Amino acid sequence: MALSPHRQDKIYIAATMGYCLGSEDPEEVAYYQQIKEEMKQDREKRNLGISRTD
């Protein structure tokens, strides 16, 4: 079963705000870990925000 957009949004907010995930559902945990890994890669590559063009 795929995650609903509402649940994806809740997980995304929890990941970006630094909260723990209160669920043990494997799909939700995998999505949470994916978001956290993308954030870690962005931090390492300095892809934070929108680049200035001026």
Side-chain angles (χ1 to χ4, degrees):
M1 181 174 118
L3 294 172
S4 70
H6 176 72
R7 191 66 194 144
Q8 285 180 343
D9 187 47
K10 293 284 189 178
I11 294 169
Y12 178 80
I13 291 171
T16 57
M17 297 294 288
Y19 297 145
C20 294
L21 189 61
S23 173
E24 294 181 12
D25 181 26
E27 273 187 284
E28 293 180 3
V29 172
Y31 187 69
Y32 180 84
Q33 291 297 329
Q34 176 188 353
I35 299 295
K36 294 295 269 186
E37 183 62 32
E38 288 175 4
M39 288 172 42
K40 181 180 175 186
Q41 290 174 357
D42 286 346
R43 246 183 275 121
E44 290 171 355
K45 293 179 183 177
R46 300 301 221 184
N47 294 334
L48 303 174
I50 300 171
S51 298
R52 292 182 66 166
T53 58
D54 55 340

